[in-house]
Amino acid sequence: MSKLYIPKNYSPVLNVKETEKAIILIKDFFQLCLSTELNLTRVTAPLFVPSGTGINDDLNGVERSVKFPVKDLNNTQMEIVHSLAKWKRLKVTELGLKPGFGIYTDMNAIRADEELDNLHSLYVDQWDWCLAMTPENRTVMFLKEVVEKVYRCLKRTEFFVYDRYEKITPCLPEKITFVHAEELQRAYPDLTPKERENIVTKKYGAVFIIGIGGKLPDGTIHDGRAPDYDDWITETGDGNHGLNGDLMVWNPVLDSAMELSSMGIRVSPESLRLQLNERGCPERANLEFHSKLLNGELTQTVGGGIGQSRLCMYFLRKAHIGETQVSAWSEQMLSECRAASIAIL
């Protein structure tokens, strides 16, 4: 059954040709903002990595990766990346980057188990970025400073779009609001995490929800997060846990909250062990990536991913991510989109 949401009286601001041109403009402008704001150098990224090394992003730990054997490498098994969450930290370490400097790259992935709707696609394209930092900056205050820098890039891009397409009026608030997932759970104990996101994002326009993946007071989690890159278990000193989070904005077209980015301070050897045990997978400590981290061989970093197609979808006021990227959809969804003037690429 299609999970498509059709906005009432939807009419795209830009036609397909105009949209294709705008996508390039937005991507070029935003990545320049991001790289200058965070001191990031662009690097080339892999589409696939060797299986069994622990380098690939495990997401929630249940999603299947797309795998294939390589004939000329004795049928060595490779897998398409889910994201570059851990690869980036290896790259920053390899380059020997000092605190305050980092990398970004174009990440392309296939997530075969994604549930397809207005925001979710089999094809994922995002800017994966990673910044070297000092261990002393493993604080919520430092995380907030980084989030505010990313948000400034969103604000600049919003004006950039408005300056070229006057019908797309700005709607982001001047400042982003920070809230802990634990605070939301205590305030709205009878609501689902998605319902809590909608309430708080509609109220403030743009929020960063801290503590994604860690246990909430009622024993649940706000949303799944792998145990081996973001730190979601460290106590922050304010009665809450987590040095990571999701950046959400209110989408006026879909009338709902929309995640544009997830980011966080990366695990230390101590928090990695705790999180592996919390998720019942301590055996991962023997994998290549995890062994290096536990041996203190990897640079302390903060990093995240920013959805490229989602960013364009939001700023161009599109109703479906398929209007800003090419992927695969059910015939039912395609038919419903055509009837609603949603031009899937």
Side-chain angles (χ1 to χ4, degrees), residues 36-226:
T36 53
E37 187 71 55
L38 292 179
N39 298 325
L40 305 177
T41 298
R42 190 189 183 283
V43 297
T44 302
L47 176 61
F48 46 84
V49 294
S51 298
T53 59
I55 296 175
N56 201 359
D57 179 359
D58 294 302
L59 300 176
N60 294 315
V62 297
E63 294 87 350
R64 299 169 301 163
S65 58
V66 178
K67 299 181 180 181
F68 60 96
V70 181
K71 179 181 177 181
D72 209 34
L73 294 177
N74 296 318
N75 286 323
T76 297
Q77 194 84 346
M78 295 288 179
E79 55 189 57
I80 305 294
V81 297
H82 280 144
S83 86
L84 298 173
K86 289 175 280 186
W87 177 88
K88 294 176 295 185
R89 191 166 182 179
L90 291 169
K91 191 67 176 178
V92 166
T93 302
E94 175 191 322
L95 294 172
L97 299 182
K98 302 299 182 184
F101 298 90
I103 60 172
Y104 80 96
T105 190
D106 288 291
M107 191 284 298
N108 297 293
I110 299 174
R111 297 182 182 174
D113 289 337
E114 199 72 85
E115 294 185 1
L116 309 183
D117 56 24
N118 296 67
L119 295 176
H120 297 89
S121 169
L122 297 176
Y123 171 63
V124 179
D125 58 338
Q126 65 182 33
W127 289 286
D128 253 320
W129 61 272
C130 192
L131 181 70
M133 56 177 281
T134 64
E136 292 72 28
N137 273 333
R138 290 175 49 80
T139 65
V140 171
M141 182 179 296
F142 179 75
L143 175 64
K144 288 181 177 180
E145 290 174 359
V146 174
V147 172
E148 287 171 342
K149 289 180 179 180
V150 173
Y151 188 68
R152 285 200 288 270
C153 296
L154 294 176
K155 286 286 292 180
R156 292 189 197 116
T157 305
E158 182 179 54
F159 176 75
F160 175 81
V161 173
Y162 174 61
D163 197 36
R164 283 149 185 79
Y165 308 101
E166 291 186 356
K167 292 183 179 179
I168 303 178
T169 55
C171 61
L172 287 175
E174 192 61 32
K175 301 289 184 181
I176 190 167
T177 298
F178 294 93
V179 60
H180 280 80
E182 296 179 30
E183 295 175 38
L184 286 179
Q185 193 277 326
R186 285 192 288 264
Y188 307 103
D190 298 326
L191 300 184
T192 66
K194 181 62 178 177
E195 290 169 338
R196 295 170 199 156
E197 289 174 357
N198 281 331
I199 285 178
V200 71
T201 309
K202 186 172 185 177
K203 179 179 180 180
Y204 295 110
V207 299
F208 187 78
I209 301 176
I210 301 172
I212 305 296
K215 279 188 178 179
L216 301 176
D218 65 352
T220 64
I221 60 174
H222 184 85
D223 197 5
R225 194 61 54 88

Side-chain angles (χ1 to χ4, degrees), residues 33 80 121 156 207 219 243 250 256 266-267 308 329:
C33 284
I80 305 294
S121 169
R156 292 189 197 116
V207 299
L243 295 172
W250 183 252
S256 70
R266 294 338 201 186
V267 287
Q308 295 185 12
W329 312 97

